[in-house]
Amino acid sequence: CALARLWPGALAGCAEAGRCCPGRDPACFARGWRLDRVYGTCFCDQACLLTGDCCFDYARACPARPCFVGEWSPWSGCANQCKPTTRVRRRLVQQEPQNGGAPCPPLEERAGCLEYSTLQGQDCGHSFVPAFITTSAFNKERTRQAASPQWSMHTEDAGYCMEFKTESLTPHCALENRPLTRWMQYLREGYTVCVECQPPAMNSVSLRCSGDGLDSDGNQTLHWQAIGNPRCQGTWKKVRRVDQCSCPDVHSFIFI
């Protein structure tokens, strides 16, 4: 108090100057004591916390206020039908951060999606479902009744075979040495492979296997994944559908 009487304005600061500024603002200053106990020009901008020249009352006069956001909106629909695309959801800022408060979190999120029907309700998009494959030897071990109870033992559909040209694959396929997964080593870029669609992998209504790419035009990149090692995956393009597979055994697989 004595100092204030002898030296008018000695306790002046941000509150008296009525200043609180975001970021770095050299013009946002007052005259008074600084936090480092030096009297003179002191600052009321956010950057003064880094430079150490804030007015003594900065924290009280300019309290940090974090960003507050609202709840997420519902997810939008897919941007396009019948092909892989994205959906989005957003949230609004209810309070902007002030005086060095916590910044706002992301205000938008996107996620992949795929719709299987057009706006008119027509079926589509199934060519983009990833194909899950395994060695053709597995077909000899499973029984139609055990793996797919909805299939009658009297079902006579012989299935079909899809030929694909492999475009890319992860290096994890070639690293498989376990006895039941060595077949993955025969998945090679540029090779034509045969993948058989047989019950019980075949849908009992559509009589198709998931991910068969039958609806693709041959130029679409399709995805596959090996059962037994989810890191062994890649892409291929449809060549054709045939009734009987004609690939060598090492390049023949089945949908599962």
Side-chain angles (χ1 to χ4, degrees):
C1 293
L3 179 61
R5 287 194 298 271
L6 294 174
W7 197 347
L11 296 181
C14 298
E16 184 172 319
R19 293 188 173 181
C20 288
C21 308
R24 186 174 186 86
D25 186 353
C28 189
F29 64 87
R31 190 76 179 170
W33 288 97
R34 301 193 325 203
L35 290 177
D36 57 5
R37 301 183 181 181
V38 173
Y39 184 84
T41 300
C42 59
F43 290 85
C44 304
D45 63 338
Q46 183 180 336
C48 74
L49 293 171
L50 300 176
T51 56
D53 52 7
C54 297
C55 294
F56 73 96
D57 66 341
Y58 176 79
R60 175 174 54 84
C62 308
R65 291 187 173 87
C67 174
F68 285 110
V69 296
E71 297 294 326
W72 286 111
S73 69
W75 283 104
S76 69
C78 291
N80 293 293
Q81 284 75 40
C82 304
K83 64 180 181 179
T85 182
T86 57
R87 54 181 180 162
V88 64
R89 65 177 183 175
R90 298 181 175 89
R91 54 187 175 183
L92 299 177
V93 174
Q94 296 182 338
Q95 175 183 286
E96 294 284 355
Q98 298 177 4
N99 307 322
C104 295
L107 302 178
E108 181 178 287
E109 283 188 344
R110 293 181 178 271
C113 67
L114 173 61
E115 291 183 355
Y116 295 98
S117 61
T118 65
L119 296 176
Q120 292 74 33
Q122 296 176 326
D123 189 51
C124 68
H126 291 282
S127 62
F128 292 98
V129 177
F132 293 95
I133 62 171
T134 188
T135 171
S136 57
F138 180 67
N139 205 34
K140 302 174 184 177
E141 302 172 12
R142 66 182 179 182
T143 61
R144 184 179 302 178
Q145 184 68 15
S148 185
Q150 76 268 22
W151 277 88
S152 167
M153 292 300 291
H154 301 292
T155 301
E156 298 297 334
D157 194 285
Y160 57 93
C161 185
M162 297 297 300
E163 292 184 2
F164 300 97
K165 186 172 183 180
T166 307
E167 288 199 321
S168 67
L169 70 161
T170 60
H172 300 92
C173 304
L175 300 178
E176 278 294 348
N177 288 314
R178 294 173 291 167
L180 297 179
T181 56
R182 287 176 185 160
W183 60 271
M184 299 179 192
Q185 297 179 359
Y186 295 102
L187 290 159
R188 307 283 180 82
E189 292 184 9
Y191 278 54
T192 298
V193 299
C194 295
V195 187
E196 195 168 4
C197 177
Q198 294 287 350
M202 187 184 297
N203 183 284
S204 60
V205 177
S206 66
L207 300 182
R208 290 178 51 184
C209 288
S210 180
D212 63 6
L214 196 59
D215 297 332
S216 67
D217 60 10
N219 292 319
Q220 295 171 345
T221 298
L222 309 172
H223 295 264
W224 56 265
Q225 179 177 314
I227 294 297
N229 180 1
R231 295 188 299 175
C232 176
Q233 53 186 278
T235 60
W236 56 29
K237 289 184 178 180
K238 182 188 77 172
V239 177
R240 60 175 179 162
R241 168 180 170 162
V242 293
D243 291 332
Q244 298 293 331
C245 292
S246 59
C247 297
D249 288 343
V250 293
H251 299 301
S252 294
F253 310 100
I254 62 170
F255 295 101
I256 193 170

